[in-house]
Structures are given as C-alpha cells and as structure tokens.
Amino acid sequence: MSIRRFFPLLVPALFACGGGSSGSSRTSVVDSRDEYDPRSLDPALSTDVPTGRAVAYVFDGLTRFTPDAAVVPGLARSWDLSADGLTYTFHLRTGVKFHDGRPFTASNVLHSFQRVLDPATKGGRGWPLYPVKGAEDYAGGKQKGLDAVVVRDDSTVLITLKEPLAIFPKLLAMPVASIVPDNVPKNFGEHPIGTGPWKFLEWRHDDYLKFAKNASYFDGPPKMDTLTARIFPERSTAAAEYEAGNIDILNVPEQESRTWEADESKKARLQSAPALRFWYVGINTTRGPLSDVRVRQALNYAVDVPTLLNRLLSGRGDLAAGVIPLTLAGADKSRKSYPHDLSKAKQLLSAAGHPTGVDLELWVSQTPPFPKVAETIQANLAEAGIRVKIVQRDASSMREASRKGNTDLVLKEWYADYPDAENFLFPLLHSVNKGVGGNISFYSNSEFDRIVTASHREQDDAKRAELYTQADQIAFNDAPMIFLFFYRDLYAVQPWIQGFKVPAVFNAQRWTDVTMSKK
Amino acid sequence: MLAFIARRLLLSIPTLFGVLVVVFLLLYVAPGDPVQEMVGERADPETIARLRKELRLDEPMLSQFTHYAGGVLRGDLGNSYITQRPIIRDIRERFPKTLLLAGSAMLLASILGITLGVLSARSPGGWFDRLGLGVAYLGISFPVYWVGLILILVFAVMLKWLPPSGYGGIKFLILPAFALGSRSIAFLARVTRSAMLDVLGGDFVRTARAKGLRERVVVVKHALRNALIPIITVLGLDFGYYLTGSILTETIFSWPGIGRYVVNAITRRDLPAIQGSVLFLSVVFVLVNLLTDLAYAKADPRVAYH
C-alpha cells in the first residue's frame, strides 16, 4: 500500500525549496503524527496509538507521564503504599469537574475501572488493570463486583493488588486507565467527556480531530486555544504540509532525515530523541536448530547491525545489547552488543552440529522499511551459511502466525506503553507471556522468570533496576532474539512553536505548554 | 426501457449474492485474526477466547454466514469489530467524498480528454496530434502516486497556490482530481481520436460538409455524436474503478474516502467492515454499468434494449 519506497527519487527536489518564516497566521496548533483514524475516543477501547494520544488530551488518569518519561500525579494528588506493598491509597484532587460540569469524585474511579473490565464493553484491553485483586475474574464474568477498589470518601480511593507490583502507578497512566464520568452515553466513543486539558470539539474520520482548551483545567489550562490532530496515511504528504507551514510538528520520515540534517536552515528545527522502541528479530527458541543457544548467538554475530542502521534508517537508532532501551533504569550501557563476526558465527554453527549451515524462514510485514531490513539480514546471514527464505505477509497474518509459534524468525518492533524496563522484559521474554502475551520467542528460562517476578515485588527503585540489569544480561546471553537497535525519533518543529518536547511514550505529549508566535 | 432496467436490477441480485459468498469465504480462509487486531500488541488468551465467542467467531462457518447474510437481508450491515460504529454510517460518511473526487476526476477527464482527442483528430499527424500523443503516453505511463507527489511539490509546496492535502472546499479538490483523472485524460484523448478518425471518413460527414454546414457543427454535432460509444465505454469503466476506491490518490492527498476505509478495514481484519463495504461497492459497480448501458441508447438511438 505504501508508496514511500518510490519517494526517495523525489525527495531532494521536494526539500530543496520552501523556506520558513518565524510566525504563523493560524490560531490552532496542528499535529501530524497520526497515520490512521483512531479506533475510538473511548479510553476503554484505546488499543492503538492514535486513540491513546487523543484520550490523553481529553482525559486524565490517576497518574500521567511527562514527555521525558517521569510519572507524576494526575487526578490523584498523591498516593501511599501499605507496608505489604499490596494496598495503594490514592488521595484525589478535589474541585475537579468533567467537561460537562459534573464533579469528579472517587466513585468515578471505581466505575471507570469496572467499565474497562466489563465484558460488555468489548474493549479487549483489561490487562493494565489485571494486577488489581479480582479484576481478571471480574473481566471473565466469574466475579460480580470489584471489591478490591474501595471508595473511602469522595476524595480517597483504595486499590488492593493481588500481588505487589512496584510499577502499578505507571500502568495507571496508560490511556485505558483514564477516568470517565458515570453513565456514559452509547456514542461516548465519538463524543468523549473527560477532565483533561482539552475538550473534544470535532472528529472528521480519516481527516482530523479538533480539541478546544479546557480553561478550568486543574493543572493550568493549555496555552493555545485549539489543537488539531490531522491524520496522514502517507508521511511524505505530512512532510509537504510541514514545508507549506500547515502543520507544526513532523515526524521526519527515515529516508528523508539525511536531507533534512544536511540543510542548515532545517537542521536548527530538528529535535532528536531516543524513543522507547525496540527493533528485533524474534527467534522462536522451540523450533529445530533454533533451540540451540549457539545457533541463536551465531545469528546475532552474523548480522551487521551498524551498517544496516546506517544505510536503511539513516543512523536513527542506538545499538541494542539487550532489550532495555538505554534511557530506562536497568539498561547496562557498558554491555557491548554482539559484534559483526562471521568466523565466530560459523564456528558456533559448526559447534552446534551445523557445519553446512541451517535453513530458516524470516517473516516480515509489508510496511517500509521492514522489507528492506529483512533483505539485508538475509544477505548477512547468507554469508555465515544461514540460508533464509523471506516470508512477506501483512502485519495481521504475521502477528497471528508468530503468536501461534509457526515462525522461525520474525522481524518486528516493540513500543513501550509505559516507560519502564519491565515493559520490555516481562511481555517479550517472560514464560507466562508466550504467544499472544508478546513472547513470540517462546523463551523460557526459569532464572530469568524468577528475577523478573522478583522485580515486580521490589519497591526500591535502585534495587529493581539492578534486577532488570541481571535479567537483561541473561536474555542477552541466551539470545532469544537478534538484538537490533533502539529507534531514535526525529521531529521537525516549526520555528514559531515553543515548548514542544518529543515524548518518550506516545501519549506523553499533551500540548499544554506549547505556544505559537504570531505572524 | 423500464422493463430492461428492472430485469437488469433483478439479474444483479445473484451477482451480489455471489459477491457476498466469495468475500465471506475469502475472509474465512485468509490468515489473520480480527480479535488479535482488537486486543492490540499485548493480550491474554482468556480475553481473546471471550471476544471470539462474543463475535460468534467460534461458530461453524455456515452458522456465521447465515447470521451475517440474515443481517444483510434486513438491511443491517452490522457494526465494526474495531470501532463498534455501524458500518452503514461509516460508508455514508465516506462514500460521498469518494463520489465527489471520482466525479470531478471524470468531469476533468471528459472535458480535457475529449477536447484533446477531437483536436488531434482534426489534423492527424499534425504538430498538435503528435504533441497530444506524447502527452497521452506520459499520462498513461506515469503512476498516480508519482503524478500526485509532483502536483503537491509544484502547486502546493513551490507555488503555494493550493493546499497540499486534506478535504474541504474546491481548492482541496483540484490536485487530487487532476492526479486521479490524469490517466483517463490521456486514455480518453487517444480513444476519442481514433473513434473520430473512423467517423470523420464516413459518408455522412462528407454529406454534412457538402451541404455547407460549418466545420464546428460537422465535428461536434455529427461526428462526435457518432464517436461517443467507445468514449462512453471508457468513461463508464474508469468511473466504476474510481468509485470503488482510488486508494493511492486518497492516501497521498489524505482524502477521507472509501478506499482508505476499505484498506484500513482489511489491515485490521475488521470482517463486517470489509464485507459491508465490498458489498456496497459491488452495488455501485452494478449501477454504474447499468447507467453506461443506458447512456449507449441515449448516444445512439439504434441501440435498443429488449
């Protein structure tokens, strides 16, 4: 579907022209990051990125993320944790009103969580609330009430977990845990009412969403009057709109970053930031020769990641030596990634009893630049005697096959929902998450599992980071994946925009501090 | 004539039923799973099993089909699995925008294409004819995404005459309509030229000229009218294709039409949305073909329908 692969021919011409002025005549600040129409504006249905972004504008959770990945109070002023690590007491803000004027109270928290978990909602994303005691049974219809969430008074709510989970406040900042008013109407997904900094104004499907400032927002109203989120299925079109001055920020397409960086006037407007996005090749550790750690390590030694990163992604990434992005606590920055070493790869293959190499299938989606990355990996592996057949499928077929365990190798990326190493270690590699949970490597290492489980209970940040580092080291040695790189975002921000920060998590930029200088 | 229309419409019912069955079967055997698309990247088996049951995806194929076909017979295309909105509303929202784009592209193509074709046929082998031939080859050869991006580059980014993309007033329509219609302009110009050359050599044209009619009347009233049949065929076919989703054009120009809707539905395995929109677009195709046939009779009274 995408035409991006044809675009490089045109790019130099396109960006050789056009200049910037320092002000805009628009009054609305315009975002361009959404690539498709949100699923809904109902927090309970927020399973995709555009939905999550919009929900973060209209709603608040008990906690929220700052653009640089800190977790700060949202509708909760503060919270305490019981000595056994099980019960959180959230002290809520008072005087907060929903956009329709109704007051926000503690019972909204209980009802919002029940609504997300209620099978009738058909949202499909209850897991961020499953740590709450009885939540999973409630979602499965095995339990009537959600008695682990207790409304003590209008401004206090107690939440008891089934097991201690130190990162629970981070889960509450996810879009799905947003607080909605009681008795929402049937068309809530298209007419959302929250407490957030922006009130919903208009949604033209596949075109744009529009929001107006909530002048009485408890954390200080946004500095601009309106916010428009335009939807661009083709990022090259967004780039043209940026050139025309019609949008305020642009997620610069990878193949265009070099051109932008080479242009002095544009370079000044670029913001680069490490994203919590991990590119890897999932290795199914249960299939044939791949069950041998030496074969999996050989795969890692055979791929020349630096060259791949440089040539195909304009260098927009940092080499991965493990699954924890370098900006998160627990990442071991001194650990070196697998070097490109063909003789080492061949030696490991021989030692594993495959002196003549192995035959594998590498699955990849059709979204650029993934197919090209797969071809490069195929060529790299061929040099080490590993014969790879590329299976190109649409993302949905690929997801299904890899979750069923029907693939040898899968090239994909993983986005963080919340800024914590656990969001990479646990879903991608813990044995309870095999298949649909995210562990498409079907990796199972009891020592790894034990450390990650222990990290869930560890309340001390420094000690927890230490556990993350240990688990990551185990995974690195076991090589249940080819560790590629952590993606770097590159944004262009118009010269008239002040206060925009590239967010580490997709729903962490709420545009409240952004201002525009007028023409 | 009315009997003809009624018979054609009746005959289209089995066609549409066939479409329903084929689309259903294709989606049934195709890999990919709507429930896994609903739950997103991280999920648990219980939720997936529960949703599958609620959506009746765990039932046998025949029971799923009769349930769906029953809804269609009652005029209910169902709700999207993903967005939970009624499919019929989604189509009603997007199709008029595609119709507007396709209609404008066809209008542009007929005016420019037929004019170019007639002018070329006036002096075959002349400089205008050769220029027209060159332009037509380029128009047919350039893919629409390339034309679209060049148009954006020149008219939106460099000259700043028109907005690069989006949906709105007429100024948003010009570039995508031109990009979409460019192939038809070229094609129509060639078809019109050859049809006109055939007709212009006819006896009745010589007679018309001999009785002293002005050249313009000879060409437009006598010759062009007789050359219309192949032109209508091309127009009808192209219009049908454009209406069923000019996906690339809609993507490049961020045009919120039905083509992007169908593609999104397919990507997310949103079964009711795929089935509903394919069925709807089949009806559109049938109607366009019928209109094309009726236009033949209008253009040439010798064509009669029984």
Side-chain angles (χ1 to χ4, degrees):
Chain A
M1 229 296 277
S2 176
I3 51 163
R4 225 169 285 153
R5 77 186 84 159
F6 301 104
F7 202 66
L9 296 171
L10 202 69
V11 172
L14 184 55
F15 298 106
C17 51
S21 68
S22 57
S24 171
S25 51
R26 279 183 286 108
T27 55
S28 182
V29 62
V30 185
D31 191 0
S32 70
R33 291 172 296 165
D34 289 349
E35 293 183 15
Y36 51 93
D37 207 38
R39 178 182 178 193
S40 167
L41 302 183
D42 182 342
L45 302 191
S46 60
T47 45
D48 62 66
V49 169
T51 301
R53 275 193 197 119
V55 164
Y57 303 152
V58 179
F59 297 90
D60 286 293
L62 295 180
T63 59
R64 68 177 175 87
F65 303 129
T66 63
D68 41 16
V71 178
V72 296
L75 285 170
R77 262 185 303 118
S78 62
W79 56 89
D80 320 308
L81 179 59
S82 63
D84 60 5
L86 283 173
T87 304
Y88 284 86
T89 305
F90 288 94
H91 306 285
L92 308 180
R93 287 177 202 266
T94 50
V96 175
K97 285 192 162 58
F98 285 102
H99 299 152
D100 62 358
R102 283 187 277 172
F104 156 73
T105 67
S107 62
N108 295 129
V109 177
L110 170 64
H111 297 152
S112 300
F113 290 180
Q114 281 178 323
R115 185 168 172 275
V116 167
L117 295 167
D118 188 345
T121 310
K122 292 185 196 164
R125 178 163 265 202
W127 66 259
L129 296 174
Y130 283 178
V132 177
K133 199 175 150 205
E136 209 166 346
D137 284 343
Y138 180 81
K142 292 178 213 146
Q143 178 181 320
K144 278 267 173 274
L146 192 57
D147 43 19
V149 180
V150 175
V151 178
R152 185 192 281 163
D153 56 53
D154 275 357
S155 63
T156 317
V157 68
L158 276 68
I159 301 178
T160 304
L161 308 185
K162 61 182 175 201
E163 282 163 21
L165 180 62
I167 56 159
F168 184 63
K170 293 188 182 184
L171 298 183
L172 293 182
M174 286 178 60
V176 76
S178 300
I179 306 305
V180 305
D182 286 355
N183 304 318
V184 299
K186 229 181 156 253
N187 64 356
F188 192 62
E190 286 193 287
H191 297 91
I193 295 160
T195 55
W198 300 95
K199 296 179 183 181
F200 169 76
L201 268 189
E202 192 187 10
W203 182 7
R204 296 290 168 116
H205 292 291
D206 281 331
D207 195 357
Y208 63 84
L209 295 125
K210 211 166 196 170
F211 308 91
K213 150 167 99 177
N214 173 8
S216 51
Y217 186 55
F218 61 80
D219 229 6
K223 296 183 172 126
M224 296 297 299
D225 289 338
T226 54
L227 164 65
T228 308
R230 285 188 60 186
I231 297 156
F232 291 101
E234 175 57 47
R235 275 161 75 194
S236 304
T237 308
E241 290 281 9
Y242 181 90
E243 286 292 301
N246 297 336
I247 59 174
D248 293 318
I249 59 143
L250 171 74
N251 192 350
V252 180
E254 292 97 18
Q255 74 278 12
E256 289 168 35
S257 13
R258 288 266 156 79
T259 325
W260 285 62
E261 278 162 344
D263 182 326
E264 280 305 318
S265 68
K266 289 197 176 72
K267 206 177 160 193
R269 301 187 231 146
L270 296 178
Q271 279 190 28
S272 170
L276 302 180
R277 288 167 66 179
F278 172 45
W279 289 49
Y280 66 103
V281 176
I283 304 175
N284 188 327
T285 57
T286 62
R287 285 171 75 91
L290 297 175
S291 58
D292 190 321
V293 63
R294 288 167 297 190
V295 176
R296 302 197 298 265
Q297 286 171 342
L299 290 168
N300 271 285
Y301 281 114
V303 178
D304 182 4
V305 186
T307 306
L308 179 157
L309 185 58
N310 199 26
R311 298 257 170 86
L312 297 179
L313 283 117
S314 309
R316 277 170 58 176
D318 301 298
L319 296 183
V323 301
I324 307 178
L326 304 175
T327 48
L328 293 180
D332 182 352
K333 286 177 195 150
S334 63
R335 195 186 297 136
K336 291 271 170 290
S337 58
Y338 284 93
H340 180 52
D341 187 340
L342 284 176
S343 56
K344 180 92 181 159
K346 286 178 186 159
Q347 187 191 325
L348 282 164
L349 277 179
S350 300
H354 307 287
T356 56
V358 288
D359 291 276
L360 299 170
E361 280 186 352
L362 169 60
W363 284 58
V364 61
S365 75
Q366 291 152 334
T367 317
F370 285 98
K372 275 189 182 165
V373 173
E375 283 163 25
T376 306
I377 291 172
Q378 180 190 38
N380 283 168
L381 293 178
E383 288 176 48
I386 302 163
R387 294 168 295 274
V388 167
K389 193 179 131 212
I390 291 181
V391 182
Q392 198 174 340
R393 292 280 188 277
D394 69 298
S396 184
S397 311
M398 188 176 104
R399 184 172 301 147
E400 191 190 33
S402 62
R403 284 176 169 183
K404 278 187 180 157
N406 294 341
T407 55
D408 295 328
L409 307 174
V410 185
L411 173 63
K412 63 179 299 202
E413 74 166 330
W414 183 261
Y415 274 79
D417 284 311
Y418 45 92
D420 196 283
E422 193 268 359
N423 197 187
F424 292 83
L425 293 169
F426 182 64
L428 293 183
L429 295 170
H430 196 288
S431 63
V432 298
N433 286 317
K434 281 181 188 172
V436 290
N439 179 0
I440 53 153
S441 300
F442 291 81
Y443 176 60
S444 177
N445 177 318
S446 54
E447 180 63 3
F448 177 91
D449 286 357
R450 190 188 62 74
I451 296 173
V452 172
T453 308
S455 77
H456 282 156
R457 299 171 160 270
E458 181 53 64
Q459 302 291 343
D460 184 284
D461 287 347
K463 285 185 188 155
R464 200 168 67 247
E466 176 55 31
L467 291 172
Y468 289 159
T469 308
Q470 287 174 22
D472 201 29
Q473 180 69 52
I474 294 174
F476 182 71
N477 296 342
D478 279 348
M481 47 190 41
I482 302 177
F483 302 93
L484 296 177
F485 55 86
F486 301 110
Y487 188 84
R488 284 187 86 89
D489 276 328
L490 184 69
Y491 278 55
V493 180
Q494 296 281 17
W496 53 77
I497 291 291
Q498 290 91 37
F500 180 85
K501 263 191 184 168
V502 178
V505 181
F506 65 96
N507 64 339
Q509 174 51 267
R510 301 168 98 202
W511 296 90
T512 47
D513 296 326
V514 173
T515 55
M516 256 164 110
S517 47
K518 287 272 152 48
K519 220 173 213 170
Chain B
M1 179 82 104
L2 276 179
F4 168 75
I5 296 175
R7 199 169 60 237
R8 277 288 298 266
L9 287 178
L10 274 177
L11 276 174
S12 68
I13 291 173
T15 312
L16 294 175
F17 184 76
V19 168
L20 198 69
V21 173
V22 169
V23 173
F24 185 87
L25 283 178
L26 276 178
L27 289 174
Y28 192 83
V29 297
D33 178 356
V35 175
Q36 302 216 14
E37 296 307 305
M38 286 171 74
V39 296
E41 271 296 343
R42 188 170 162 180
D44 59 288
E46 289 81 27
T47 305
I48 289 180
R50 197 171 62 237
L51 285 168
R52 180 163 285 128
K53 197 169 157 64
E54 275 163 21
L55 298 173
R56 297 168 158 265
L57 289 168
D58 58 339
E59 291 178 14
M61 186 176 78
L62 198 64
S63 133
Q64 283 186 45
F65 181 73
T66 45
H67 178 76
Y68 178 70
V72 171
L73 283 180
R74 288 192 303 274
D76 179 13
L77 293 181
N79 287 2
S80 155
Y81 286 167
I82 307 285
T83 68
Q84 303 188 356
R85 291 190 293 267
I87 309 290
I88 196 82
R89 233 189 63 205
D90 282 348
I91 294 176
R92 212 183 295 148
E93 211 173 275
R94 288 167 174 88
F95 184 69
K97 292 167 183 160
T98 296
L99 187 65
L100 177 66
L101 178 58
S104 314
M106 289 321 291
L107 189 70
L108 211 62
S110 347
I111 296 171
L112 293 178
I114 296 175
T115 311
L116 283 174
V118 169
L119 291 178
S120 296
R122 286 286 308 285
S123 49
W127 68 268
F128 190 88
D129 187 27
R130 272 179 290 165
L131 182 73
L133 182 70
V135 172
Y137 275 137
L138 291 180
I140 291 171
S141 314
F142 286 148
V144 65
Y145 51 79
W146 192 86
V147 174
L149 289 167
I150 290 293
L151 290 175
I152 293 178
L153 161 68
V154 175
F155 294 99
V157 178
M158 282 165 66
L159 298 171
K160 296 190 194 300
W161 289 350
L162 293 163
S165 70
Y167 176 79
I170 186 136
K171 61 181 187 198
F172 288 90
L173 183 60
I174 297 172
L175 291 184
F178 200 84
L180 181 60
S182 60
R183 201 187 134 273
S184 291
I185 295 174
F187 205 49
L188 270 176
R190 296 322 289 166
V191 168
T192 307
R193 177 185 177 276
S194 58
M196 284 294 283
L197 282 180
D198 280 353
V199 173
L200 282 173
D203 289 345
F204 69 98
V205 171
R206 198 177 44 194
T207 312
R209 284 195 177 124
K211 70 182 181 186
L213 287 179
R214 274 181 297 136
E215 183 64 11
R216 199 147 69 96
V217 178
V218 174
V219 171
V220 177
K221 275 196 105 169
H222 293 247
L224 181 59
R225 171 108 198 215
N226 279 285
L228 271 181
I229 295 282
I231 296 174
I232 290 172
T233 309
V234 171
L235 276 174
L237 277 176
D238 278 359
F239 194 49
Y241 284 121
Y242 291 172
L243 280 181
T244 51
S246 19
I247 296 156
L248 284 174
T249 311
E250 289 179 3
T251 301
I252 294 167
F253 290 96
S254 297
W255 190 268
I258 194 93
R260 269 168 70 197
Y261 179 74
V262 177
V263 168
N264 275 339
I266 294 172
T267 326
R268 300 197 252 190
R269 293 296 187 276
D270 193 346
L271 303 183
I274 304 172
Q275 283 159 341
S277 37
V278 170
L279 191 65
F280 173 82
L281 293 173
S282 311
V283 172
V284 169
F285 218 97
V286 165
L287 288 179
V288 169
N289 283 344
L290 179 61
L291 287 177
T292 311
D293 283 354
L294 293 177
Y296 288 149
K298 188 85 188 140
D300 185 352
R302 285 169 303 182
V303 178
Y305 297 107
H306 302 291

